[in-house]
Amino acid sequence: MEIHIQVVGEEQPELIDPLEHLARAYSAQEEYVRAQQYLLQALAIYQEAGRPEDMLLDSVLNSLAEIEIARGHPALARNYLDRSRAIRELTLGQNNPRTIEVAQKLASISTSQMTR
């Protein structure tokens, strides 16, 4: 990863995919803080590149939401999922199964908070 950064630069969109892969590896090992760092770096690159509604950003947002759910932070997870739903609605449409999937995740987070 360090070599890749040296070649393309720290804030280039080409880094997003490797950052996501690293984050998934750390998430699988339940190293959520490290995974989150890589995902937040990818998120910052998207924002710097002026691509805040890019469908590719969707997987970063969903991964961040999963980490926050695992860490017991449903409010933060909901923020990421809200943004993911907005991207999916804009890109895929409100009735697309992938958009509905995120809406269902949001509903389940809200329901689990109410039962606590």
Side-chain angles (χ1 to χ4, degrees):
M1 186 67 188
E2 289 176 23
I3 293 170
H4 198 94
I5 290 171
Q6 289 175 359
V7 171
V8 299
E10 257 185 48
E11 295 184 6
Q12 296 300 314
E14 293 85 15
L15 288 178
I16 293 168
D17 195 44
L19 288 168
E20 272 192 87
H21 287 292
L22 276 172
R24 286 191 185 135
Y26 282 112
S27 278
Q29 298 170 13
E30 296 183 3
E31 292 187 39
Y32 299 123
V33 172
R34 196 113 189 237
Q36 185 180 38
Q37 290 172 340
Y38 288 120
L39 291 168
L40 290 173
Q41 186 177 352
L43 182 62
I45 291 170
Y46 272 110
Q47 291 172 329
E48 286 295 316
R51 297 165 54 179
E53 287 129 8
D54 195 314
M55 190 62 191
L56 296 173
L57 176 60
D58 182 64
S59 65
V60 172
L61 295 169
N62 277 283
S63 295
L64 284 165
E66 289 173 17
I67 288 171
E68 295 304 348
I69 289 168
R71 294 173 65 197
H73 303 132
L76 292 172
R78 192 171 36 259
N79 288 338
Y80 292 124
L81 290 173
D82 278 334
R83 191 163 172 196
S84 173
R85 182 180 59 189
I87 290 169
R88 288 182 185 196
E89 284 179 357
L90 183 66
T91 306
L92 304 172
Q94 191 171 12
N95 296 320
N96 184 280
R98 292 182 64 199
T99 305
I100 293 168
E101 174 189 24
V102 172
Q104 290 170 340
K105 281 184 188 178
L106 280 163
S108 72
I109 290 173
S110 296
T111 303
S112 69
Q113 279 188 311
M114 288 183 194
T115 59
R116 288 184 181 173

